[in-house]
Amino acid sequence: MPDLFEALATPARRKILDALCERDGQTLFEICARLSVKSNLSMTRQAVSQHLAVLEEVGLLTVTRQGRYKHHHVNTAPLNQIVERWLKPTPPEANP
């Protein structure tokens, strides 16, 4: 199972997250089209699907099904855990 940092280390996955942040709830076809047009990133549907699976596995994506279509949604909760851990550490308790 890849961890969050491994998932974010791949530029293509970051581009997919960028595409989903621009418009949440896209299908695989819409993501592929957006990556091709806006990011000039041409990947096969299978490659994008594998990247989506990795992002879903680490919790950065959630998927809802509507008929035959899967809609992908960004989930920032894992990123918030990183921010809380390293960027907003709790102040040390005052010594009595």
Side-chain angles (χ1 to χ4, degrees):
M1 177 176 150
D3 75 356
L4 183 63
F5 293 106
E6 288 175 1
L8 291 173
T10 305
R13 292 186 196 127
R14 292 194 303 267
K15 291 284 186 187
I16 291 171
L17 288 174
D18 288 342
L20 286 170
C21 284
E22 287 178 15
R23 194 171 80 74
D24 201 28
Q26 296 182 66
T27 64
L28 175 61
F29 177 77
E30 292 169 326
I31 293 169
C32 290
R34 186 174 290 261
L35 290 175
S36 178
V37 172
K38 288 205 166 191
S39 301
N40 202 18
L41 187 66
S42 61
M43 289 191 293
T44 63
R45 285 174 48 117
Q46 290 80 14
V48 174
S49 181
Q50 289 175 348
H51 286 304
L52 289 170
V54 171
L55 293 171
E56 185 180 358
E57 192 174 345
V58 298
L60 287 172
L61 286 184
T62 59
V63 175
T64 58
R65 291 185 179 271
Q66 192 171 26
R68 295 176 29 194
Y69 298 101
K70 289 171 64 175
H71 297 269
H72 301 84
H73 306 273
V74 174
N75 178 19
T76 59
L79 298 175
N80 288 335
Q81 293 172 353
I82 292 172
V83 169
E84 292 298 323
R85 181 173 177 178
W86 285 302
L87 299 178
K88 293 181 182 175
T90 56
E93 294 181 25
N95 292 331

